[in-house]
Amino acid sequence: MASTTLSLASGASAISNSKPKIRFSGSSNVGHLLRKERNSPLFTTLSTGRKTMAVAVNVSRFESIPMAPPDPILGVSEAFKADTNSAKLNLGVGAYRTEELQPYVLNVVKKAETLMLERGENKEYLPIEGLAAFNKVTAELLFGADNPVVQQGKVATIQGLSGTGSLRLAGAFIERYFPGAKVLLSSPSWGNHKNIFNDSRVPWSEYRYYDPKTVGLDFDGMISDIKDAPEGSFILLHGCAHNPTGIDPTPEQWEKIADVIQEKNHIPFFDVAYQGFASGSLDADASSVRLFTARGMELFVAQSYSKNLGLYAERIGALNVVSSSADAAARVKSQLKRLARPMYSNPPIHGARIVANVVGDPVLFNEWKEEMELMAGRIKNVRQKLFDSLSAKDKSGKDWSFILRQIGMFSFTGLNKAQSDNMTDKWHVYMTKDGRISLAGLSLAKCEYLADAIIDSFHNVS
Ligand code: PLA
């Protein structure tokens, strides 16, 4: 269809008898186009006295586009906002709240921003790969500054649009350079993983992970599915604080996972969205990635600062690709830049500077670790209190101790969709329909109320 448009000026209707003002734009050969398009549903015949003209009616060319469903996670926040009940509780998205259930900007972030203002830094474009100081401290935070892969330049690090954008960039890279290769996702996984690889046109399938019977890891199922995957598959692993289950492999299990991945010549692909949030320690939470790296494996890691630095809306994270040589790393990086350029050109600077200032400064770095321990500690406290409240109130004898074995921001309650609906419809507790609740959005004061809601939903809804 040519770009010519024909529209009625404000208020004029195609069926009105008043004299419409008709505005043409685009090509001058409008008469020709009108003849061609007269049969289109967008056009109708309009009689204005002596002349008869075809004009656009109020039928959109987007008529055939269906309404998309709300996002299963971010859509929960939209529904929460619309609820006017004062008891409402948003346990949907994994976003940290204070005990007063308010969003939290870390003190170290405020200090870094003050520094940035004082320095009067400019807003020039960043290079395609992002802020050099950011990429350096980010790779060091993940692998450890003295890690040989860092020292020997074997890591290609490129600043990404947080965890999601970094995963998406990796998806584009896999699609281009490993055509046909499959990504294996844990069952279940963060819901957006499927969207990311679908949109990247990368085929994916799932490996067993969660066992509802034990409310734990189906380790044998996981190993067997990774073994059965076509050689050279990408195995997506949550570096720590698995979302949504809160169940991580033990160090011994990680070793066995690495064994089978190596045997099958698969490529590990870590999603590290919660470094520091699982245990409160940045190093402990990076141990899975470091274990694989120490074996000399080539791997991908998508990193996010949304949670551990509370930089949700700054969209700051990175994609790291570890190669077996510095030369390969340089080539990989050049191709990542080539993919990034037409997608978003170059990444935003504000969050990158915050991270570079905090992680790159020994004083602020230590303050950050303290604040992160506080955040992780508050989540552990509400986890304990929720378990205590459930155990005290539920007289059925059900064992709720699985909640204490889960780590990170979330608890996977085992509530099914109907029970989760009851949580929202009756109790105004907003959560994802897979039974996940974000403990980062819960306060000690609300634990008893939440326990009542869970017990009612669990026992009275099937
Ligand atoms: N990877 C995992 C495993 C995640 O849980 C999330 C965020 C991301 C990546 C991406 O986060 P980022 O792009 O902000 O860095 N998951 C959240 C939010 C916290 C979301 O769904 O976007 C969640 O509630 O699951």
Side-chain angles (χ1 to χ4, degrees), residues 71-74 91-95 161-167 189-193 196 236-244 271-274 302-307 311-313 315-318 409-410 432 436 438:
D71 183 80
I73 297 177
L74 299 185
L91 309 182
V93 69
L161 305 182
S162 210
T164 308
S166 305
L167 288 159
S189 194
W190 177 48
N192 211 21
H193 281 147
I196 288 168
L236 198 130
L237 303 158
H238 297 223
C240 65
H242 183 271
N243 177 10
D271 182 355
V272 177
Y274 300 95
Q303 252 175 303
S304 165
Y305 286 100
S306 291
K307 271 68 73 171
L311 293 177
Y312 306 91
R315 312 311 297 142
I316 181 67
M409 274 190 159
F410 301 108
T432 54
R436 184 190 86 169
S438 167

Side-chain angles (χ1 to χ4, degrees), residues 125-371:
Y125 287 132
L126 278 178
I128 303 170
E129 72 264 38
L131 188 71
F134 165 85
N135 287 340
K136 181 175 182 297
V137 298
T138 289
E140 289 176 358
L141 185 77
L142 181 67
F143 299 105
D146 51 0
N147 194 315
V149 294
V150 172
Q151 301 273 315
Q152 295 162 13
K154 291 179 179 172
V155 191
T157 303
I158 173 164
Q159 184 185 328
L161 305 182
S162 210
T164 308
S166 305
L167 288 159
R168 183 65 182 80
L169 185 64
F173 184 83
I174 293 169
E175 193 265 341
R176 183 164 296 178
Y177 290 102
F178 296 83
K182 229 185 192 185
V183 173
L184 262 80
L185 306 172
S186 60
S187 173
S189 194
W190 177 48
N192 211 21
H193 281 147
K194 292 178 182 173
N195 302 330
I196 288 168
F197 295 109
N198 281 341
D199 280 6
S200 306
R201 297 178 196 283
V202 170
W204 56 266
S205 61
E206 294 180 299
Y207 59 83
R208 277 169 282 174
Y209 192 84
Y210 175 71
D211 183 352
K213 285 196 290 295
T214 60
V215 198
L217 180 63
D218 179 358
F219 184 64
D220 293 341
M222 176 181 188
I223 291 291
S224 133
D225 290 348
I226 293 176
K227 243 184 211 159
D228 288 348
E231 188 145 326
S233 295
F234 288 82
I235 312 297
L236 198 130
L237 303 158
H238 297 223
C240 65
H242 183 271
N243 177 10
T245 66
I247 299 159
D248 285 354
T250 63
E252 297 72 37
Q253 288 173 330
W254 275 121
E255 293 283 1
K256 292 199 175 116
I257 296 165
D259 286 344
V260 56
I261 287 180
Q262 259 179 325
E263 260 164 49
K264 289 298 304 269
N265 208 19
H266 294 324
I267 305 165
F269 183 169
F270 283 94
D271 182 355
V272 177
Y274 300 95
Q275 190 181 352
F277 245 92
S279 65
S281 154
L282 287 160
D283 287 322
D285 288 356
S287 57
S288 57
V289 171
R290 293 179 191 176
L291 179 154
F292 279 62
T293 312
R295 289 178 172 225
M297 297 166 84
E298 298 191 306
L299 50 89
F300 286 57
V301 190
Q303 252 175 303
S304 165
Y305 286 100
S306 291
K307 271 68 73 171
N308 55 13
L309 256 175
L311 293 177
Y312 306 91
E314 295 297 350
R315 312 311 297 142
I316 181 67
L319 175 65
N320 304 269
V321 183
V322 177
S323 305
S324 52
S325 73
D327 179 58
R331 282 181 280 111
V332 167
K333 188 167 184 173
S334 74
Q335 293 298 343
L336 291 173
K337 287 164 64 176
R338 194 184 190 186
L339 285 162
R341 171 68 168 144
M343 277 206 268
Y344 56 82
S345 191
N346 46 72
I349 200 164
H350 192 79
R353 279 197 181 128
I354 296 172
V355 173
N357 281 327
V358 173
V359 184
D361 177 272
V363 176
L364 288 184
F365 184 61
N366 281 330
E367 280 184 46
W368 176 38
K369 287 202 282 194
E370 283 167 23
E371 275 191 284

Side-chain angles (χ1 to χ4, degrees), residues 80-101:
F80 172 79
K81 270 188 204 141
D83 189 334
T84 52
N85 191 294
S86 60
K88 67 178 180 174
L89 200 51
N90 187 4
L91 309 182
V93 69
Y96 183 81
R97 294 284 179 272
T98 62
E99 183 57 29
E100 293 71 42
L101 298 184

